[in-house]
Structures are given as structure tokens and as C-alpha cells.
């Protein structure tokens, strides 16, 4: 199949020459599935009008890639792919221009289904707006497949409770392929919690409750008051005027979503915030990336990033750090019934990190380790979930810690493109 696609690519090119670029790993470590993001201006040879760029490896095979519209104007802005590089290796890639983009095996995906009323079935959507009066406990039904969007790669999956709770949960995966599209939907096409039982692909494995889950965010105001972004189950109304969710990218090697919280009232009517989360996932990683932007801080806020501790008595530990990043995490049998080992970690930028605290065991934010982060500028972090049924090595805490160390070391490497 790969050879056929390559033949088609060259057939489309005709007499147009290929263009070549060299990408070099100047570090002393090997890189696996390292993201390569090329803006239009970085693609050699200039843009071929009416054609689309694809990537050929040094031995002439098509490399899974995708083009992305970054600014939302309907025109692609960048070319994205992942590749492996040995330490010190410089690889040459060809850019081949085609009039039809080939299809590649998915290594990332986003699932988002919405049930518009009690009498409707779930339908896939790219975007939706959640309002504070639409809580499932008030309406009498869950509007969202898997309680909100879910996203995954070939290693692990996650979901976000878009129904006002705004926590983040983990889907443990046993397989590389993407989970079925009907996860969270019953035979009648309506929302149903059918993902807490083991299937061939995996299941929901983490208890969230009133925690922030893995990588969920909230706010500390005035040095002591913890304020949840949203509500807990049983509340009559939400405290965010509207939450706009949009799938920005979905492709074989990169998927990205935007959560836009408009007019959040964590304290009272005279103080409001606007905040965004930009979540993305790449192949080959046991985690996702999140970029948080508190747009209108008043000066006494701290952003809180959560890591649930409801299934462990172990303390949060510093697993690894370098000049740019620090890794905080736990390792224990911390799935629902403590059946399996699950390592949970936050990879945090040291430039924004302040310290950590522990939420109480009861309350609107509970059973959560909280990383306190500076709120004066946007920052990005990674939330990692390492489950033993996806990689049996994660039973061993040292193996888990070495994986995280290697991930951060690779994350720090900047590729040289010429």
C-alpha cells in the first residue's frame, strides 16, 4: 500500500521537482516519534499552488503527516509529522506535492458526540456551547457522549467532563488502534456509561469524584481560597456563563482542542475571568499536552493543576527535573478497585511552577495534589498516565520513572531544520 501511494504522489508531481530538507538531532539521546512542525515559510522550494505537501522518508516511503489550519481562515498554515532520530543523526526528507492527500492509519483521535435533547440521538460535532443551566442533573439526561470530548493516541486515552464539572479522566488502552466510535453510546444511539467495564480496547480506569482528575485546572485566589472551575454533581447551576468547545485539529499524528470558558464567576458577581485550555495529543506518548491562559488576572491568583490521589496514600514525589521541566507524580495500584498499577504524573514548566499543596479529603476540590502555577502568563504542561496493561513494565516504579525521565529529556531536545 505504501508503494502504491508513493507511485501516486510521483504521478501527480509530473515534471515538478521534489524539494528536500534536512532535520538534525544534535543531542546525545535517541528520539522516538519526535514532532516536526513546519510552517509554510519553512518548507523548501516554496508553495506549489493547488497542491498539498507530503513527506517522503530517506528511503522514499511516505511518512504519515497532516496539514493544519492554525488561524482558522480555512487555508493550511503548517505541515506536521513525527519521526525517529538517533543521537546526532541528520535525516533528509523530500517534500512531494500532490493534489489529493493520502490517508494514513490514525495514531491520534478526538471523539465528541452531542445529544441535543432528551428525544435526540447522539451526533458527532466539531463544536458546541455549554450553558450553566444545562446540567445533566437539571435536564434529566447527559447531553455528551462520554460526558464530554474524549481524545486518545496509540498509548492512552482521556476525557473531559464538559457538563460543568471540568475534570479530566483517563481511559486505559490495551491496544494501539483507536477505540470504537460508539464508546459512550448504547444501541439506541443515546448516551450511556458503558466504558467502566473492560472491553478489548480497554476501559475507564481512574476514579475522579470531586478531584480535578489528571491535569484538570482551577484557581487559588488571595492566597488561600480554592475555587473550582465549574461545579460538582448536585449543583443547581454552573458558574461559567458559557463554555465553547471546538476541535481545532484531528489527524493521524496530531489532534488539538480548545476549551474557552467565558465569564467565570468563582467568587461573586464583581469578579469574573475568561480562561482557555488548548489540549493536544501526539503519537507514542502516555499523556497529553495542555496550554492554560488566564486572560484577565487581577494579580492575586494562582492557577492550580490537579493530580487525583483518591486511590493512594503515597505522597506526591519529585521524580525528575532538568533546567526546563520538573516531573511530579505517584505510582501505585490507583485504578478504581486498585486492580492495576497506574503511574500518574504532571510534567510542569519550571518557569511557571511555584510549589505544591494538597486539597482536603472533602469539599468542592478534594483528594487532589495541586501544583501551584503562576497566573500572569500562559503556560503549557503534560499530564501522563502509565498503565500496566498497556506496558507491563509500568508495574515497576523504577521503569515508570525512567520512562518519564526519557520523555522529558526528549521533550527538551530542539531539532535543527535546514
Amino acid at each position: 500500500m505504501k508503494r502504491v501511494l508513493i507511485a501516486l504522489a510521483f504521478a501527480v508531481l509530473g515534471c515538478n521537482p521534489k524539494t528536500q530538507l534536512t532535520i538534525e538531532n544534535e543531542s546525545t539521546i535517541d528520539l522516538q516519534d519526535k514532532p516536526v512542525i513546519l510552517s509554510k515559510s519553512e518548507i523548501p522550494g516554496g508553495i506549489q499552488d493547488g497542491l498539498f505537501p507530503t513527506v517522503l522518508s530517506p528511503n522514499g516511503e511516505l511518512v504519515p503527516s497532516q496539514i493544519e489550519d492554525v488561524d482558522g481562515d480555512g487555508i493550511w498554515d503548517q505541515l506536521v509529522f513525527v519521526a525517529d532520530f538517533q543521537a546526532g543523526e541528520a535525516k533528509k526528507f523530500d517534500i512531494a506535492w500532490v493534489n489529493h492527500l493520502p490517508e494514513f492509519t490514525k495514531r491520534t483521535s478526538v471523539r465528541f458526540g452531542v445529544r441535543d435533547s432528551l428525544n435526540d440521538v447522539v451526533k458527532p460535532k466539531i463544536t458546541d456551547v455549554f450553558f450553566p443551566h444545562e446540567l445533566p442533573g437539571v435536564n434529566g439526561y447527559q447531553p455528551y457522549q462520554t460526558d464530554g470530548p474524549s481524545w486518545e493516541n496509540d498509548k492512552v486515552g482521556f476525557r473531559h467532563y464538559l457538563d460543568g464539572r471540568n475534570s479530566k479522566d483517563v481511559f486505559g488502552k490495551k491496544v494501539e488502534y483507536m477505540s470504537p466510535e460508539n464508546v459512550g453510546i448504547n444501541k439506541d444511539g443515546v448516551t450511556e456509561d458503558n466504558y467502566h467495564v473492560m472491553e478489548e480496547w480497554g476501559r475507564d480506569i481512574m476514579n475522579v469524584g470531586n478531584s480535578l482528575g489528571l491535569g484538570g485546572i482551577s484557581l487559588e485566589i488571595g492566597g488561600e481560597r480554592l475555587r473550582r472551575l465549574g461545579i460538582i454533581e448536585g449543583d443547581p447551576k454552573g458558574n461559567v456563563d458559557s463554555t465553547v468547545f471546538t476541535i481545532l485539529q484531528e489527524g493521524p499524528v496530531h489532534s488539538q482542542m480548545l476549551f474557552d470558558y467565558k465569564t467565570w464567576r468563582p467568587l461573586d458577581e464583581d469578579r469574573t475571568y475568561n480562561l482557555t485550555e488548548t489540549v493536544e495529543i501526539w503519537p507514542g506518548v502516555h499523556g497529553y499536552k495542555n496550554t492554560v491562559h488566564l486572560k484577565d488576572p487581577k494579580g492575586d491568583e494562582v492557577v492550580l493543576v490537579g493530580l487525583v490521589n483518591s486511590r493512594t496514600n503515597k505522597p506526591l514525589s519529585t521524580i525528575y527535573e532538568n533546567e526546563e521541566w520538573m516531573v511530579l507524580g505517584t505510582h501505585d495500584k490507583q485504578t478504581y478497585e486498585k486492580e492495576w498499577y497506574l503511574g500518574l504524573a504532571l510534567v510542569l514548566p519550571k518557569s511557571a511552577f511555584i510549589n505544591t499543596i494538597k486539597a482536603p479529603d472533602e469539599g468542592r476540590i478534594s483528594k487532589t495534589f495541586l501544583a501551584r502555577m503562576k497566573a500572569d502568563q500562559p503556560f503549557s504542561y503534560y499530564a501522563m498516565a502509565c498503565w500496566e496493561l498497556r506496558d507491563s513494565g509500568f508495574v515497576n516504579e523504577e521503569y515508570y520513572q525512567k520512562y518519564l525521565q526519557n520523555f522529558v529529556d526528549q521533550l527538551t531536545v530542539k531539532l535543527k531544520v535546514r
Side-chain angles (χ1 to χ4, degrees), residues 144-331:
Y144 296 121
Q145 183 179 358
T146 63
D147 299 336
S150 60
W151 60 99
E152 62 184 292
N153 61 12
D154 50 349
K155 301 295 184 182
V156 65
F158 304 92
R159 63 185 177 121
H160 176 99
Y161 298 159
L162 190 62
D163 58 6
R165 291 175 286 173
N166 296 321
S167 298
K168 291 180 172 63
D169 204 350
V170 175
F171 280 144
K173 289 186 63 177
K174 300 189 295 181
V175 297
E176 289 189 357
Y177 60 79
M178 300 299 102
S179 59
E181 288 298 315
N182 63 354
V183 173
I185 307 174
N186 66 17
K187 60 182 178 60
D188 297 318
V190 300
T191 52
E192 180 178 272
D193 180 351
N194 56 17
Y195 39 81
H196 283 91
V197 294
M198 187 68 77
E199 301 290 351
E200 179 181 301
W201 63 270
R203 56 162 287 181
D204 182 308
I205 59 173
M206 194 179 78
N207 177 261
V208 174
N210 287 346
S211 75
L212 300 184
L214 177 63
I217 63 169
S218 202
L219 210 62
E220 176 190 300
I221 300 173
E224 58 182 22
R225 293 172 291 183
L226 307 185
R227 289 296 181 265
R228 190 180 188 93
L229 175 60
I231 53 92
I232 61 174
E233 192 170 351
D235 285 352
K237 187 178 180 180
N239 59 9
V240 181
D241 278 6
S242 64
T243 303
V244 183
F245 170 77
T246 306
I247 300 175
L248 300 177
Q249 321 287 345
E250 184 181 17
V253 296
H254 182 223
S255 291
Q256 185 181 49
M257 302 146 283
L258 175 67
F259 299 86
D260 189 355
Y261 307 95
K262 298 179 182 293
T263 315
W264 170 32
R265 294 177 171 84
L267 290 174
D268 46 45
E269 293 298 323
D270 64 358
R271 180 180 282 208
T272 63
Y273 297 94
N274 295 294
L275 184 148
T276 61
E277 292 184 273
T278 306
V279 174
E280 53 190 303
I281 193 165
W282 296 86
V285 177
H286 292 266
Y288 69 90
K289 179 182 180 181
N290 192 15
T291 301
V292 178
H293 186 188
L294 183 66
K295 295 185 177 181
D296 41 11
K298 310 302 186 286
D300 61 348
E301 304 91 353
V302 169
V303 174
L304 304 172
V305 182
L307 190 155
V308 60
N309 60 29
S310 63
R311 293 297 187 271
T312 183
N313 293 319
K314 292 184 178 181
L316 185 69
S317 63
T318 300
I319 294 173
Y320 180 67
E321 61 181 300
N322 61 16
E323 292 183 357
E324 295 183 38
W325 302 93
M326 66 184 311
V327 183
L328 305 176
T330 57
H331 180 269

Side-chain angles (χ1 to χ4, degrees), residues 10-200:
F10 282 111
V12 171
L13 280 171
C15 297
N16 292 334
K18 294 178 295 179
T19 56
Q20 191 175 84
L21 74 159
T22 300
I23 302 177
E24 184 175 0
N25 170 22
E26 297 180 308
S27 77
T28 58
I29 63 173
D30 295 340
L31 306 176
Q32 294 82 42
D33 286 320
K34 182 69 174 179
V36 178
I37 302 173
L38 300 174
S39 65
K40 279 185 175 180
S41 63
E42 292 177 301
I43 297 177
I47 305 304
Q48 305 291 321
D49 290 340
L51 300 178
F52 304 101
T54 59
V55 182
L56 299 180
S57 70
N59 61 3
E61 293 189 342
L62 268 174
V63 177
S65 63
Q66 64 193 71
I67 55 174
E68 298 185 341
D69 174 14
V70 176
D71 55 17
D73 64 357
I75 302 172
W76 69 272
D77 302 298
Q78 62 186 24
L79 172 66
V80 174
F81 62 101
V82 296
D84 297 340
F85 299 87
Q86 294 179 0
E89 181 182 21
K91 273 188 177 180
K92 293 182 178 181
F93 295 88
D94 287 320
I95 304 298
W97 294 86
V98 299
N99 58 3
H100 293 291
L101 290 169
E103 292 188 11
F104 298 104
T105 299
K106 282 187 174 183
R107 296 183 67 196
T108 76
S109 179
V110 180
R111 179 188 297 107
F112 183 54
V114 182
R115 185 183 177 194
D116 289 324
S117 74
L118 180 62
N119 299 317
D120 285 318
V121 298
V122 173
K123 297 178 182 178
K125 282 191 174 184
I126 300 297
T127 186
D128 193 60
V129 183
F130 181 79
F131 295 102
H133 61 276
E134 296 177 333
L135 305 180
V138 176
N139 285 351
Y141 72 97
Q142 172 57 257
Y144 296 121
Q145 183 179 358
T146 63
D147 299 336
S150 60
W151 60 99
E152 62 184 292
N153 61 12
D154 50 349
K155 301 295 184 182
V156 65
F158 304 92
R159 63 185 177 121
H160 176 99
Y161 298 159
L162 190 62
D163 58 6
R165 291 175 286 173
N166 296 321
S167 298
K168 291 180 172 63
D169 204 350
V170 175
F171 280 144
K173 289 186 63 177
K174 300 189 295 181
V175 297
E176 289 189 357
Y177 60 79
M178 300 299 102
S179 59
E181 288 298 315
N182 63 354
V183 173
I185 307 174
N186 66 17
K187 60 182 178 60
D188 297 318
V190 300
T191 52
E192 180 178 272
D193 180 351
N194 56 17
Y195 39 81
H196 283 91
V197 294
M198 187 68 77
E199 301 290 351
E200 179 181 301

